[in-house]
């Protein structure tokens, strides 16, 4: 019984976006999502699943997850599931989870390619495909493992969602809100457009940095060379330290778009090399100036 | 008259390594040398010379130099002179200074290539060549101008000296001490060995980053691509923002070594691309793993 002159009944806190959140693969990306969702009060219980029991135990000790569970338990208990696994493993993980999923559960992923992930999800989930929204948080670091997870990793970063025609509007909105709760800026696009853009600005830098690093390391005098390497070398090659497994999967998954970019890069390389061969200072200057202006313009607008 | 029971006469402070230091080109590199030498008490008066009166005025306001002077005055007054000018300008600057140099004055430079600088110095200085010791501080940043100068830029960094047979041992020692006073680690090597190593670990990254940046910027959808660029892109392309004039000179000066490295890089690129074309996951993995291990090993040993 409430007295008529009492103030307004205090609103009970809004329920979390995900009563039960499950993260498959609790490394940098998955662990940071768990930490950011918890920090925002956007997740109730957080479950962790993955291949390595030791990794799950470390994630639990770090407070990233409340419980380590199997893929099947994650599927049957969670309201929202983020897959953070090498893109080549997406289909197999979803196939194991599919029979245990509740109809209200929403799944997404964090893979660096999206067309192949959408295909693999369709095959694994069949008529449950509406429950899966492909996604890609554009954030990362050379550090890996749950120890590298940070609740601010997604602050100010872009997350691309590539919704499928079958997805429900309410689910798209929920997923957008979840990423926004982590501090991210969310954009939507077609999977193929995502893959073409990322082939250019993410996969190509990794490919080229790795080719270059391998070439330097294979030189007979690599020790002397690398003793004279400075901060330019350090930054240019930083990404080459990344996970070979993850990146092999990315290149295979986005092979066609990366090969297209490589062809374009080779044309530009041919022109620049010809200018150098010809000792054509003006043409070299023009090429370097275009690149410098483009990079400075990008740097002045980027939030990174 | 000193009383026999007085303590030892206090030693007067050691005179600075360079009573009068002159820096030609008071930007990031020259300005930081001036600031570090002053901070270490290794320079008395510091003179600045260069093409742009405004830059010299800013350097003086910032306290990097005590006086802005002409090249001729710098030559006639300084004990130690650092040239920090595009390598292509070294010969012309030395030729203007040569008639005014005192016999005790020591000159050095900060250019990114050394064989061509040694040749230009020989031509410009003639029988005064013993007074010039080529050098290269391996430090820098995308920032330019006197405002970017820092007295700790050389702390823990490597400075390569490529002494000429004519240089006096006492001058080599003085120059080594000056750089060490700035916090640098000094190594000596042949100009050609320096240029080959730097072609690999410095000039190639700049060339490749610039080709890549130009290729992305030239794409019809470059805006969309670059909106999705992350920290990998940021670091991989950072150096492409550098001075087109300086880098044109570097590439022309070290043309042969850079072309040799480009040929090696193309071979490595061909192999990696073929693995991708063939969808050869094992070979891709091996290539990525070699690069990752090499980069992680370098990172674990580098002071950068």
């Amino acid at each position: 019984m409430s007295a008529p002159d009492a103030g307004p009944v205090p609103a009970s806190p809004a329920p979390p976006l995900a009563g039960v959140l499950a993260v498959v693969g609790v490394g940098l990306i998955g662990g940071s999502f768990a930490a950011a969702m918890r920090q925002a009060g956007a997740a109730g219980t957080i479950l962790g699943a993955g291949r390595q029991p030791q990794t799950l135990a470390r994630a639990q000790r770090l407070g990233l997850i409340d419980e380590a569970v199997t893929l099947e338990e994650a599927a049957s208990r969670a309201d929202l599931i983020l897959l953070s696994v090498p893109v080549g493993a997406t289909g197999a993980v979803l196939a194991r989870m599919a029979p245990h999923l509740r109809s209200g559960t929403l799944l997404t992923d964090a893979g660096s390619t999206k067309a192949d992930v959408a295909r693999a999800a369709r095959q694994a989930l069949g008529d449950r495909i509406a429950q899966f929204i492909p996604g890609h948080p554009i954030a990362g670091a050379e550090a890996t493992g749950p120890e590298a997870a940070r609740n601010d990793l997604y602050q100010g970063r872009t997350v691309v969602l590539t919704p499928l025609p079958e997805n429900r509007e309410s689910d798209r909105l929920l997923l957008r809100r979840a990423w926004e709760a982590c501090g991210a800026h969310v954009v939507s696009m077609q999977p193929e457009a995502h893959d073409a853009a990322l082939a250019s600005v993410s996969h190509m830098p990794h490919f080229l940095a790795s080719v270059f690093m391998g070439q330097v390391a294979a030189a007979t005098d690599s020790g002397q060379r690398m003793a004279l390497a400075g901060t330019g070398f350090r930054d240019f090659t930083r990404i080459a330290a990344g996970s070979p497994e993850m990146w092999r999967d990315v290149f295979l998954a986005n092979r066609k778009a990366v090969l297209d970019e490589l062809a374009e890069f080779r044309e530009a390389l041919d022109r620049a090399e010809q200018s150098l061969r010809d000792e054509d200072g003006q043409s070299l200057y023009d090429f370097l100036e275009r690149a410098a202006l483009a990079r400075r313009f990008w740097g002045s607008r980027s939030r990174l």
Side-chain angles (χ1 to χ4, degrees), chain A:
Chain A
M1 189 183 107
S2 65
D5 60 347
V9 176
S12 57
L17 284 171
V20 179
L21 168 66
V23 174
V24 181
V26 195
L28 172 70
I29 297 296
S32 293
F33 184 70
M37 286 288 279
R38 193 192 293 282
Q39 157 98 352
T45 301
I46 303 183
L47 311 178
R51 282 180 304 179
Q52 307 280 351
Q54 305 94 316
T55 305
L56 294 175
R58 277 151 50 205
Q60 192 168 355
R61 269 201 303 278
L62 289 162
L64 297 170
I65 60 173
D66 299 307
E67 246 181 277
V69 298
T70 63
L71 283 180
E72 292 76 8
E73 279 179 86
S76 65
R77 289 175 56 192
D79 300 304
L80 174 63
I81 302 176
L82 173 78
L83 304 192
S84 173
V85 301
V87 286
T90 308
V93 169
L94 288 175
R96 274 185 59 191
M97 298 180 97
H100 306 276
L101 284 172
R102 287 183 288 112
S103 63
T105 303
L106 177 60
L107 296 120
T108 187
D109 79 312
S112 305
T113 52
K114 297 275 62 80
D116 69 308
V117 161
R119 268 194 305 276
R122 257 178 220 292
Q123 193 162 4
L125 296 176
D127 57 12
R128 285 184 177 283
I129 187 62
Q131 291 177 241
F132 182 79
I133 303 178
H136 177 204
I138 300 177
E142 68 271 49
T144 56
E147 290 76 12
R150 298 173 1 213
N151 64 22
D152 65 349
L153 183 69
Y154 302 114
Q155 206 68 46
R157 297 302 171 83
T158 298
V159 172
V160 181
L161 300 181
T162 62
L164 307 174
E166 295 88 344
N167 297 144
R168 286 188 307 187
E169 187 54 35
S170 57
D171 284 343
R172 297 184 197 190
L173 190 62
L174 182 117
L175 187 57
R176 172 181 283 268
R177 284 210 181 126
W179 278 115
E180 285 173 351
C182 299
H185 165 68
V186 178
V187 299
S188 290
M189 60 198 307
Q190 293 295 318
E192 292 73 19
H194 167 277
D195 289 358
L198 270 287
S200 170
V201 297
S202 170
H203 311 165
M204 277 291 287
H206 197 94
F207 201 84
L208 295 173
S210 299
V211 169
F212 172 73
M213 191 68 221
Q215 181 236 320
V216 176
T220 50
D221 61 340
S222 66
Q224 171 149 335
R225 293 179 183 212
M226 287 199 259
L228 299 181
T231 52
F233 177 91
R234 178 194 67 195
D235 293 351
F236 182 76
T237 59
R238 181 181 63 79
I239 46 180
S243 158
E245 183 184 16
M246 182 196 124
W247 283 97
R248 176 202 57 202
D249 281 6
V250 167
F251 292 128
L252 291 175
N254 207 18
R255 182 172 156 272
K256 167 105 183 45
V258 173
L259 288 172
D260 288 349
E261 288 302 317
L262 275 168
E264 276 195 27
F265 173 81
R266 278 178 184 276
E267 282 179 32
L269 183 64
D270 289 346
R271 284 193 298 273
E273 186 169 345
Q274 195 58 49
S275 301
L276 180 57
R277 208 173 283 285
D278 296 345
E279 300 183 70
D280 181 345
Q282 185 60 50
S283 159
L284 268 179
Y285 183 89
D286 292 345
F287 136 67
L288 293 167
E289 192 188 34
R290 277 193 302 272
L293 293 176
R295 179 56 177 76
R296 292 173 196 167
F297 183 70
W298 180 82
S300 71
R301 291 165 57 109
S302 164
R303 289 180 302 268
L304 299 176

